[in-house]
Amino acid sequence: MSVKYGELCSLLILENFGNVAQKIHDELQWAPKTHKLLLSAIGYPSGLVKRALCILIQYGFVSFEAGRNPLVAEYILQQEKIVLLLRYPKYLSLINSKRGEPSRLLIEEVLRHGSITATKAILQTWKRIQQGAIAKYTDGISGLKEFFHQLIVNQYLICCPTPEKAVAGDDIRVPQFTVNEEELFSPPEIDLRKLMDLEKGIPNSDPGDAGILWRCNFDRFHQDLRDEIMVEAIRRRFDNEAATLMDILLQLMYERTDAWATSSNPVPFVAIRDSLEKKKWPHLSQYLDQYIKVIEEDSCNFIRRSGEGSTSSVFVNLGTAFQNITAAAIESVVEHRFGCKAARIFRLVKKKRYIDQEQLQKLAMIPDKEAKQLTYKLLQESFLHLHELKKPASSGPNKSFYLLHIDFKQVAQIVLNMCYKGIYNTLIRAKHEKTDNSRLIEKFEKLNTIAKNMREQGDDENYIKQLFNEWMTPPEKALLDSVEAMVEKLRMAELYVDETIFLIQLFTYYESAHLREKP
């Protein structure tokens, strides 16, 4: 990975876990290391380093295994999981829209702890609900238990591996973690009465899930986010009815195909129509054949149809669809960065696959000098590439000529690195804004605490507002509002850039999966 990728991960660790964890990240990003090597490189006390390592392991950002010496553990950094910290708000929004607010609070507790027992997650969530996290909730702890159960059944939560039992006489110090496949999504048996006893503060109550930890199954979240991209792409190109059809196709695909396959197994036309009738979509059911034909003929190749009429089947082309969606996103990046004329050149090269400079200048309808400048700029930034072809020996002094083409894998990596750099810059800028105005922010937080205490004591709200206005001058309020607006704008920019990162990651995955599936 690029240097900016490592810097971004380091900054995320610093913001969320502190200096010691950042130092551990910076040391492990180059190679796995033992605890002794980490201590000598970092220079912090052993207790602090052990504590930071435990936290990073709990969140899955660091793993360990026996090294060359089987008695000593080597710690390995998992950077791809660190970047997912940027996506946590999106996971919470997704689960809130699909499963409701109680599920969102449960997932939030799991994300906050990295890995957690079902009992602790339920009790912590119940405590927050009692403090007013949800306006109307009447199901009690038993309802939260059922919500947690459904999150496991629907594979949003996955069971963490547990250490193998040590064999007598075995001197291997590095524990091995295992979990049976059938236990991954098997909900724990929790005694509701003992769970309620724990909530009331009765000691020595074991609901029955001690030592069984759960963490978020990010693949399941990514599957839903991927489906949203597909459905939204169809909605933008066609209409809501077509988007509904794609959503139903994806659900039917999962009954017949692995969720991450590049192309689905055939989905019968009759099954699609029956599903539409069950869900009461009469208009879509009536014009189903026409909708399938229109989506199939689209240039993005979202679906492919085999056969005709009611005996036909539909294939969902996930790999091809994300190739085309990613290509469109890259074209948008080129247009935003180099202008509409450069984007026209980029699209021409993409359409022709291979094209020489003279033919490009004629077809682009751009003045020759400007076309050359833009082409060389795109070559310099590696958005275009040259392919050399040798001429026959009898063709004279010019023994080769060059064709322009696009290597989308390389271009995708360039855009991905640009995204990492962009998010890193937004985080640095937000940190700078907070540091420069730290005194004002601290003053505002102290005033909010005082106001909250006064409200709890029963003081009049108008009197509190009057005091607040006296303590905060208008210029201070204006400055604080501008800082908050800037930080919020930067935060939204991070989420938008992360959408592009996720799209390119999907493209990379399907490209590699397509190569693996080839004979």
Side-chain angles (χ1 to χ4, degrees):
M1 282 294 177
S2 66
V3 174
K4 282 297 175 186
Y5 180 77
E7 290 178 350
L8 174 61
C9 293
S10 179
L11 185 59
L12 289 171
I13 291 292
L14 174 64
E15 287 193 346
N16 291 279
F17 302 99
N19 291 323
V20 182
Q22 185 196 29
K23 292 287 186 182
I24 292 172
H25 168 277
D26 294 345
E27 288 299 321
L28 292 181
Q29 70 175 331
W30 306 113
K33 290 187 177 180
T34 62
H35 177 253
K36 187 176 180 180
L37 287 174
L38 282 172
L39 278 178
S40 61
I42 294 172
Y44 282 99
S46 177
L48 284 177
V49 174
K50 285 180 179 179
R51 177 62 180 160
L53 273 173
C54 287
I55 292 171
L56 292 175
I57 291 169
Q58 181 178 339
Y59 282 85
F61 300 150
V62 170
S63 61
F64 62 87
E65 60 183 29
R68 285 173 291 183
N69 181 352
L71 301 178
V72 180
E74 285 189 348
Y75 296 94
I76 305 160
L77 191 66
Q78 308 291 337
Q79 280 188 320
E80 68 280 359
K81 294 183 180 179
I82 297 173
V83 178
L84 296 183
L85 285 167
L86 296 166
R87 217 165 283 166
Y88 282 10
K90 204 168 291 183
Y91 298 148
L92 295 174
S93 175
L94 175 72
I95 208 69
N96 188 58
S97 62
K98 285 185 172 290
R99 299 287 165 183
E101 288 192 29
S103 295
R104 177 183 63 82
L105 290 176
L106 286 166
I107 291 293
E108 192 172 342
E109 285 300 321
V110 177
L111 289 174
R112 184 177 293 155
H113 291 85
S115 53
I116 189 173
T117 63
T119 297
K120 187 175 180 181
I122 292 167
L123 291 176
Q124 292 279 2
T125 304
W126 176 243
K127 185 178 179 181
R128 291 183 61 192
I129 290 173
Q130 288 180 316
Q131 293 170 353
I134 300 178
K136 294 180 181 179
Y137 181 76
T138 57
D139 294 337
I141 289 185
S142 60
L144 284 179
K145 176 177 173 288
E146 181 59 28
F147 276 110
F148 199 91
H149 182 280
Q150 288 301 316
L151 287 172
I152 296 171
V153 170
N154 289 286
Q155 300 187 2
Y156 289 102
L157 296 176
I158 188 170
C159 186
C160 296
T162 54
E164 289 182 347
K165 292 182 179 179
V167 181
D170 191 357
D171 60 350
I172 300 296
R173 299 178 191 172
V174 182
Q176 301 293 322
F177 288 79
T178 58
V179 61
N180 295 327
E181 191 172 347
E182 60 271 14
E183 295 175 354
L184 288 175
F185 304 106
S186 177
E189 296 293 334
I190 298 176
D191 190 323
L192 186 59
R193 184 176 296 176
K194 290 185 178 180
L195 185 65
M196 296 180 76
D197 288 344
L198 271 180
E199 190 271 328
K200 293 173 184 176
I202 300 175
N204 302 323
S205 297
D206 181 16
D209 69 330
I212 304 174
L213 298 175
W214 299 89
R215 59 179 174 82
C216 285
N217 181 18
F218 295 117
D219 281 348
R220 182 67 175 86
F221 285 93
H222 292 161
Q223 180 186 325
D224 284 353
L225 291 173
R226 180 203 64 187
D227 292 353
E228 281 189 358
I229 292 174
M230 290 280 288
V231 172
E232 188 59 31
I234 291 290
R235 180 178 286 111
R236 289 181 179 179
R237 297 180 80 89
F238 303 104
D239 59 12
N240 290 331
E241 301 280 341
T244 301
L245 173 59
M246 176 54 69
D247 190 23
I248 290 170
L249 269 173
L250 290 169
Q251 300 308 316
L252 292 172
M253 181 192 85
Y254 297 141
E255 298 174 6
R256 300 164 172 81
T257 315
D258 179 71
W260 290 98
T262 56
S263 180
S264 74
N265 290 326
V267 180
F269 181 89
V270 176
I272 302 170
R273 187 171 57 195
D274 290 346
S275 181
L276 289 171
E277 289 174 354
K278 286 179 184 177
K279 296 181 180 180
K280 297 181 180 180
W281 288 93
H283 179 267
L284 189 52
S285 180
Q286 182 181 355
Y287 297 102
L288 177 59
D289 193 68
Q290 289 86 339
Y291 270 106
I292 289 176
K293 185 177 180 182
V294 169
I295 298 173
E296 182 189 15
E297 291 175 352
D298 183 71
S299 59
C300 276
N301 299 318
F302 287 101
I303 63 174
R304 175 172 57 86
R305 191 172 185 175
S306 174
E308 295 182 0
S310 59
T311 60
S312 63
S313 298
V314 177
F315 299 80
V316 182
N317 298 323
L318 290 164
T320 307
F322 276 99
Q323 283 178 2
N324 293 316
I325 294 172
T326 306
I330 291 173
E331 286 175 20
S332 177
V333 170
V334 171
E335 184 172 357
H336 180 75
R337 187 169 182 185
F338 303 106
C340 59
K341 292 181 179 179
R344 192 188 308 168
I345 290 172
F346 187 83
R347 280 192 290 268
L348 254 175
V349 178
K350 175 194 164 191
K351 183 179 179 182
K352 296 292 184 180
R353 295 196 176 181
Y354 290 92
I355 186 172
D356 65 2
Q357 179 71 38
E358 293 181 4
Q359 188 182 5
L360 177 64
Q361 290 167 196
K362 292 176 183 177
L363 294 174
M365 293 186 290
I366 300 173
D368 290 355
K369 184 177 180 182
E370 189 176 4
K372 284 181 180 178
Q373 287 176 343
L374 291 171
T375 303
Y376 293 151
K377 183 67 176 174
L378 290 171
L379 282 167
Q380 186 180 9
E381 298 290 334
S382 298
F383 283 90
L384 294 181
H385 305 86
L386 287 174
H387 182 70
E388 183 180 2
L389 289 178
K390 299 290 185 181
K391 291 183 178 179
S394 59
S395 60
N398 295 325
K399 295 183 179 180
S400 60
F401 63 98
Y402 299 90
L403 298 178
L404 295 165
H405 72 105
I406 300 172
D407 184 346
F408 266 102
K409 287 183 182 179
Q410 187 174 341
V411 173
Q413 288 301 314
I414 290 167
V415 175
L416 189 62
N417 289 332
M418 287 168 55
C419 291
Y420 290 138
K421 183 178 180 180
I423 291 183
Y424 176 80
N425 290 340
T426 59
L427 290 171
I428 290 293
R429 181 63 189 178
K431 186 178 179 182
H432 171 75
E433 290 287 339
K434 291 175 183 177
T435 304
D436 274 10
N437 300 280
S438 58
R439 289 185 180 180
L440 183 60
I441 294 171
E442 287 173 7
K443 179 182 178 181
F444 180 72
E445 289 174 350
K446 287 179 181 177
L447 291 178
N448 274 337
T449 303
I450 293 170
K452 183 181 177 182
N453 293 334
M454 290 175 72
R455 287 189 188 97
E456 290 174 354
Q457 292 170 7
D459 290 343
D460 182 56
E461 186 66 30
N462 292 328
Y463 176 65
I464 294 172
K465 287 181 180 178
Q466 183 182 349
L467 288 177
F468 201 94
N469 290 331
E470 290 175 0
W471 292 332
M472 286 286 288
T473 64
E476 286 177 331
K477 287 180 183 177
L479 180 58
L480 187 65
D481 289 341
S482 67
V483 171
E484 288 178 349
M486 174 63 76
V487 172
E488 181 63 23
K489 188 177 180 180
L490 291 169
R491 184 60 187 148
M492 293 303 296
E494 290 171 27
L495 294 175
Y496 288 137
V497 175
D498 183 61
E499 289 180 4
T500 305
I501 290 175
F502 182 60
L503 183 61
I504 294 174
Q505 286 174 340
L506 287 173
F507 166 77
T508 305
Y509 167 79
Y510 281 116
E511 281 292 302
S512 59
H514 179 67
L515 291 174
R516 288 196 300 270
E517 288 174 4
K518 283 185 177 180

